[in-house]
Amino acid sequence: MPILTLGTDKKNNLPPENLLKGKRHLTPHEIYILIQNRNISSDSDWQNIYVSEEEGEFSPYQIVQSEFNGWVILGNLKDATLKFHDLELKTGVYNSVLQNVVVGNDCVINNVSYLCNYHIGERVMLFNIQEMSCTCHSKFGEGILKEGEPEKNRIWIGVGNENGNRSVLAFTDMIPADAYLWSRYREDKKLMQRFVELTEFTNDKKNNTFGIVDDDTVIKNCTLIKDVKVGKHAYIKGAFKLKNISVLSSEDEQSQIGEGVELVNGIMGYGSRVFYQSIAIRFVIGRNCQLKYGARLLNSVLGDNSVVSCCELLNNLIFPFHEQHHNSSFLIASTLMGQSNIASAATIGSNHNSRSPDGEMIAGRGFWPGLCSDFKYDSKFGSFVLVAKGSYQNELNINYPFSLVAKSEGDCAVHIIPGYWFLYNMFAIVRNKYKFSARDKRHVKVQSIETDPFAPDTMQEICSALERLIELTARYLQLSDEQCRKMTQDKTGSEKLSAFRERAASCTNQDELYQTAKDYLHQCPSAKFLLSDDRCQKKYGALIYKPAQGYKEYRRILKYFIAQSLMKWAEKNNKESLTCEDLIQIEKLHLYTKWINAGGQIIPEEKIMELFEKIKACKINNWSEVHDFYKECESSYTDFKARYALYLIEMLYSRNLKDFTPELFADFTKDVAYVSMNMLESSISSREKDYTDFFRSVTFRNSDEKEAVLGNILDNSFLISLREATDLFDSSLHKLFKTLKEKL
């Protein structure tokens, strides 16, 4: 209900003294001109308006038919125009109502029906705005409290789970790593409280907040803008409702908001764009993101370089490089760890599968569910898992990275091909290695994002998958004759299989059985058999196809990662070839074997625990210092990987590095060179199908038309770059191990 206050002559409402430097009151002549131009003031003496004291820098003729309430401080105002795209307007104040406002130099305020409690920068254009106001206790989307406010007023973002027990508080500099660490380690109550304190660190709690529109920003044709902070060079047009948000923007990373947009309680990152009736409520949007075509983002954190359109996301934590289009919907209560792509009509997270809304899903980097996919919660997926189209009726736990998961037509078990990408779609995985780094348009990189599919997090998963394949192969070798026949697809290797089955039957302990299974996979890399994994799907388990082939590819990729990591270490230390002394030097580095994908950056788990201890001990007291810790980890990342590489090579060859022979290094180099060349040849072969397949030609009149539309494979820029990169890698590889192959 509106409150009526009698009287309009308010002379006691004075602006802060610090805002009056270089300002003066109006002269009688200036007041006369303002009155003649149909302007009115709440102060009958017009003493509530302050203008530049510099001679010739204020023209009262530039103020027409406007109302000034409270106090108003105007910057330099002279006869000039501002132009942005096709919009060109005279500087000044026209047909507007201003109350407790500071306006910078050379601004346009035209047809702003109500502008209250705002500081406007220089060269700002405000045109056709119904209401633009700011309360004294605004938080601009941050999860802080002002003086006198109860805890219930705090705005939480319920990421990862609909029950709110993974909620985080937004702050201006939040990145997915912060939200991930906050949302996952909930059992540590002291850490959770310290995260709140880190968020409140710079908050003075005073109820003296004013809205901000920074320099060179344009806002036009908007309905409601309340409690909003807008950075430099932003462009806002046709927004329906912006409330309690920060729009981060700079000259190098210009943010935009378009028609019909509603943004409430959140932070919009630098260089991001939100268009076409999109809605975001309780959110953090990272740098260089797009939200468009009616997308709905609720209770979610969206990582840098992501694009979301035509879909709905609720209660999600999404790492950088996420793509989601084409009316996929209900991506609910998920933590997606980056480089993901949600296909059309996917309905991930239909929540009605338990007695309460507390189900959730977590997926590693490169998660790619097929068309119309849906899953039952709780489910978990390894990195770079491709899920074929289907409705998956039971909970899934897919711990095979780079695999294909498909729903069976004939039985209830899901079917999995480990290492599918390496076996059948190398072009896609190699392209991922390059495309994401090319799409990183952040001008300021607050955190380093790992875009290489071959990194410690995925290698860690490969190691686990190898162990699981050996364990399941041991079970296979111990099956009864009838069961073994059912699980064996190719009988050509029956003699070897029989020999290994006899050896398995004679094993007296688990170590012997483990070694037998491992030897079988090594000696029979082409064997075709099935494995049954009861951990992959609730109730019905999974059938593992091509386990021997997947096992072989996994080991090759580990070797490629080892060589690549050592190569990076050598480059960092200005070395062309590794020596025994170099290996000894690397071995002295601290070994980390457990890794965490923290918002896209791969960090050793021990370092994360170290960070937590520093936070709890008050040695780190704000989020800026947390981000400095991430950068510190990144500065040592090359060393971390090199030491991990030596650990992996010893694991692969089951011997200490000091026992390696030149022959072993030669064998290792040969395998890595094979992987490098296979990446190139498989990529070319995969891409060639688009040009040579008969059905890819049926829509064209002739080959000339086809080439005009599809181009020529010889001109494919990615393949050209890949060939050059492969030649360089192979040359560096030869030099890197030359000394070690000659003499250890």
Side-chain angles (χ1 to χ4, degrees):
M1 182 176 182
I3 299 174
L4 178 64
T5 302
L6 297 178
T8 59
D9 195 5
K10 300 177 181 178
K11 299 182 180 180
N12 295 324
N13 184 14
L14 299 175
E17 284 292 330
N18 63 303
L19 299 177
L20 297 180
K21 184 178 180 180
K23 303 298 179 182
R24 63 172 174 82
H25 289 296
L26 296 170
T27 67
H29 179 66
E30 290 168 340
I31 294 172
Y32 174 79
I33 294 172
L34 291 176
I35 293 173
Q36 291 298 307
N37 284 347
R38 304 179 303 284
N39 298 292
I40 61 175
S41 170
S42 62
D43 183 346
S44 58
D45 295 328
W46 292 81
Q47 297 299 294
N48 60 332
I49 299 177
Y50 303 82
V51 298
S52 175
E53 64 182 13
E54 295 182 31
E55 187 174 350
E57 292 298 332
F58 173 70
S59 171
Y61 297 101
Q62 305 297 109
I63 303 176
V64 179
Q65 201 164 328
S66 295
E67 180 178 340
F68 300 91
N69 298 314
W71 49 263
V72 176
I73 302 174
L74 300 176
N76 294 349
L77 189 57
K78 48 188 178 291
D79 188 7
T81 60
L82 277 181
K83 183 176 182 180
F84 182 81
H85 296 167
D86 294 330
L87 180 65
E88 185 171 359
L89 297 170
K90 289 187 66 174
T91 58
V93 182
Y94 306 91
N95 305 311
S96 300
V97 176
L98 281 65
Q99 178 176 322
N100 297 347
V101 172
V102 180
V103 181
N105 298 330
D106 304 314
C107 291
V108 172
I109 300 177
N110 193 320
N111 202 29
V112 179
S113 299
Y114 183 61
L115 176 61
C116 177
N117 196 29
Y118 258 87
H119 286 202
I120 309 299
E122 299 187 352
R123 298 173 302 281
V124 170
M125 299 179 73
L126 304 180
F127 177 60
N128 282 351
I129 302 172
Q130 284 191 19
E131 179 183 343
M132 186 169 176
S133 62
C134 181
T135 58
C136 63
H137 53 78
S138 175
K139 277 78 78 176
F140 306 120
E142 295 194 282
I144 59 178
L145 294 176
K146 291 294 186 176
E147 189 176 22
E149 287 190 309
E151 187 64 33
K152 67 179 182 180
N153 283 14
R154 201 185 291 276
I155 302 296
W156 291 87
I157 301 178
V159 300
N161 196 307
E162 282 188 279
N163 68 5
N165 288 332
R166 292 195 187 277
S167 294
V168 300
L169 296 176
F171 53 92
T172 301
D173 299 323
M174 174 175 267
I175 56 178
D178 307 326
Y180 177 74
L181 299 181
W182 198 335
S183 68
R184 301 312 298 184
Y185 296 87
R186 307 302 289 196
E187 72 280 6
D188 193 331
K189 302 300 181 184
K190 184 175 181 180
L191 181 65
M192 295 300 106
Q193 180 56 39
R194 286 291 292 141
F195 282 152
V196 175
E197 293 169 6
L198 264 57
T199 305
E200 290 275 11
F201 182 75
T202 58
N203 179 21
D204 62 11
K205 295 187 178 293
K206 293 180 180 179
N207 287 306
N208 59 358
T209 308
F210 49 81
I212 293 176
V213 179
D214 217 328
D215 301 344
D216 301 293
T217 283
V218 177
I219 305 177
K220 67 178 186 178
N221 303 323
C222 297
T223 304
L224 175 64
I225 299 175
K226 186 170 184 177
D227 296 342
V228 174
K229 181 191 292 185
V230 184
K232 296 180 179 180
H233 293 272
Y235 180 33
I236 301 174
K237 58 174 181 175
F240 177 66
K241 181 179 182 181
L242 307 179
K243 184 177 180 181
N244 191 35
I245 66 168
S246 290
V247 180
L248 307 181
S249 183
S250 67
E251 185 174 5
D252 294 313
E253 296 175 288
Q254 300 178 15
S255 295
Q256 296 184 28
I257 297 175
E259 293 82 356
V261 167
E262 293 185 57
L263 302 178
V264 180
N265 297 334
I267 313 290
M268 178 175 166
Y270 289 93
S272 290
R273 287 137 287 174
V274 181
F275 293 138
Y276 313 126
Q277 290 79 47
S278 293
I279 297 174
I281 299 174
R282 297 190 182 228
F283 66 91
V284 172
I285 297 174
R287 276 181 146 92
N288 188 41
C289 292
Q290 294 185 49
L291 202 67
K292 54 189 179 179
Y293 304 129
R296 281 101 53 213
L297 182 73
L298 312 175
N299 266 301
S300 297
V301 174
L302 182 66
D304 298 346
N305 302 305
S306 295
V307 180
V308 172
S309 62
C310 310
C311 56
E312 184 174 19
L313 297 89
L314 283 75
N315 302 95
N316 293 286
L317 171 54
I318 300 176
F319 290 10
F321 296 107
H322 175 77
E323 298 277 336
Q324 187 173 347
H325 311 276
H326 314 305
N327 291 308
S328 56
S329 99
F330 295 109
L331 181 60
I332 293 178
S334 301
T335 298
L336 301 184
M337 307 186 83
Q339 301 165 42
S340 41
N341 195 317
I342 309 301
S344 177
T347 54
I348 302 168
S350 178
N351 191 57
H352 307 293
N353 54 25
S354 72
R355 296 174 184 83
S356 61
D358 58 1
E360 58 187 45
M361 182 186 83
I362 185 168
R365 285 196 292 147
F367 181 58
W368 197 329
L371 299 169
C372 306
S373 299
D374 65 83
F375 307 101
K376 185 172 183 179
Y377 282 13
D378 295 306
S379 286
K380 184 178 180 182
F381 299 87
S383 298
F384 294 94
V385 170
L386 174 62
V387 185
K389 174 181 178 180
S391 180
Y392 295 83
Q393 300 299 312
N394 298 284
E395 295 88 335
L396 298 175
N397 179 36
I398 310 301
N399 290 322
Y400 297 94
F402 303 99
S403 63
L404 171 67
V405 179
K407 193 173 185 295
S408 170
E409 297 297 331
D411 55 61
C412 295
V414 293
H415 294 182
I416 300 173
I417 301 179
Y420 169 85
W421 293 86
F422 311 135
L423 292 167
Y424 299 106
N425 199 5
M426 186 66 83
F427 174 82
I429 201 66
V430 174
R431 184 168 175 264
N432 280 351
K433 183 178 179 180
Y434 296 95
K435 75 176 183 181
F436 290 119
S437 57
R439 292 178 182 178
D440 191 350
K441 303 301 182 184
R442 298 173 299 161
H443 184 76
V444 176
K445 295 177 172 59
V446 175
Q447 185 181 30
S448 177
I449 301 170
E450 178 60 87
T451 58
D452 194 334
F454 311 134
D457 61 327
T458 50
M459 298 305 108
Q460 167 180 266
E461 292 181 41
I462 283 178
C463 290
S464 296
L466 287 171
E467 290 296 310
R468 185 62 175 167
L469 288 174
I470 294 171
E471 179 184 336
L472 296 178
T473 300
R475 294 185 193 176
Y476 165 71
L477 294 175
Q478 290 185 307
L479 291 174
S480 66
D481 292 344
E482 182 179 355
Q483 289 176 316
C484 186
R485 281 193 295 270
K486 289 181 180 179
M487 301 296 280
T488 304
Q489 296 176 297
D490 187 354
K491 312 301 181 184
T492 55
S494 57
E495 291 185 6
K496 267 195 172 183
L497 175 60
S498 297
F500 273 97
R501 280 171 52 76
E502 290 178 9
R503 179 177 160 185
S506 64
C507 290
T508 58
N509 55 57
Q510 288 298 315
D511 290 340
E512 289 182 9
L513 182 59
Y514 175 91
Q515 189 60 49
T516 299
K518 187 175 181 180
D519 290 345
Y520 179 69
L521 290 169
H522 278 274
Q523 296 179 33
C524 305
S526 300
K528 295 182 180 179
F529 58 96
L530 303 177
L531 297 176
S532 177
D533 193 335
D534 56 331
R535 296 181 188 172
C536 291
Q537 181 188 213
K538 186 176 181 179
K539 192 174 182 180
Y540 298 109
L543 288 177
I544 311 300
Y545 282 70
K546 301 183 181 296
Q549 292 85 342
Y551 180 85
K552 182 178 180 181
E553 292 302 319
Y554 278 156
R555 287 179 59 86
R556 282 176 169 169
I557 292 301
L558 280 176
K559 292 178 181 180
Y560 182 87
F561 166 79
I562 292 166
Q564 182 176 255
S565 298
L566 293 175
M567 198 176 293
K568 292 292 184 182
W569 183 89
E571 290 175 10
K572 179 182 176 181
N573 291 276
N574 298 314
K575 295 178 181 293
E576 188 176 76
S577 183
L578 289 174
T579 64
C580 297
E581 290 73 21
D582 293 329
L583 298 182
I584 293 172
Q585 182 180 344
I586 295 172
E587 279 193 305
K588 291 179 180 178
L589 298 171
H590 190 90
L591 172 61
Y592 299 105
T593 60
K594 294 183 179 180
W595 303 83
I596 290 175
N597 179 355
Q601 180 179 347
I602 313 304
I603 303 176
E605 185 181 54
E606 285 184 45
K607 297 297 290 183
I608 295 295
M609 297 303 111
E610 178 186 328
L611 170 64
F612 290 167
E613 290 306 314
K614 287 184 175 182
I615 292 172
K616 290 190 287 186
C618 297
K619 295 179 180 178
I620 288 179
N621 293 302
N622 58 65
W623 286 106
S624 178
E625 293 175 353
V626 173
H627 296 172
D628 289 340
F629 186 89
Y630 298 154
K631 292 175 183 176
E632 179 187 321
C633 291
E634 178 60 26
S635 67
S636 301
Y637 187 45
T638 300
D639 289 342
F640 293 164
K641 288 192 294 183
R643 182 63 188 92
Y644 186 49
L646 295 190
Y647 165 81
L648 291 177
I649 198 171
E650 290 182 331
M651 181 201 74
L652 284 173
Y653 286 91
S654 300
R655 67 185 67 193
N656 292 326
L657 200 62
K658 59 183 177 61
D659 297 326
F660 272 53
T661 64
E663 290 75 22
L664 275 181
F665 277 116
D667 173 75
F668 173 82
T669 307
K670 180 181 177 182
D671 276 356
V672 175
Y674 171 84
V675 174
S676 174
M677 188 54 61
N678 185 49
M679 286 181 178
L680 175 62
E681 293 177 350
S682 296
S683 296
I684 294 173
S685 176
S686 296
R687 195 71 179 98
E688 269 182 340
K689 294 175 183 177
D690 294 334
Y691 295 88
T692 59
D693 184 85
F694 170 76
F695 289 97
R696 288 284 286 169
S697 303
V698 296
T699 61
F700 301 102
R701 295 170 15 258
N702 52 52
S703 59
D704 291 337
E705 182 194 4
K706 179 180 177 181
E707 183 170 328
V709 174
L710 301 182
N712 191 308
I713 190 172
L714 298 177
D715 300 326
N716 185 283
S717 59
F718 167 69
L719 292 179
I720 292 172
S721 299
L722 179 59
R723 187 180 295 276
E724 293 172 353
T726 301
D727 290 342
L728 178 61
F729 179 88
D730 291 346
S731 174
S732 300
L733 177 68
H734 174 72
K735 296 174 183 176
L736 186 69
F737 289 97
K738 181 180 179 182
T739 303
L740 294 173
K741 287 189 293 183
E742 290 174 351
K743 183 179 181 181
L744 188 63

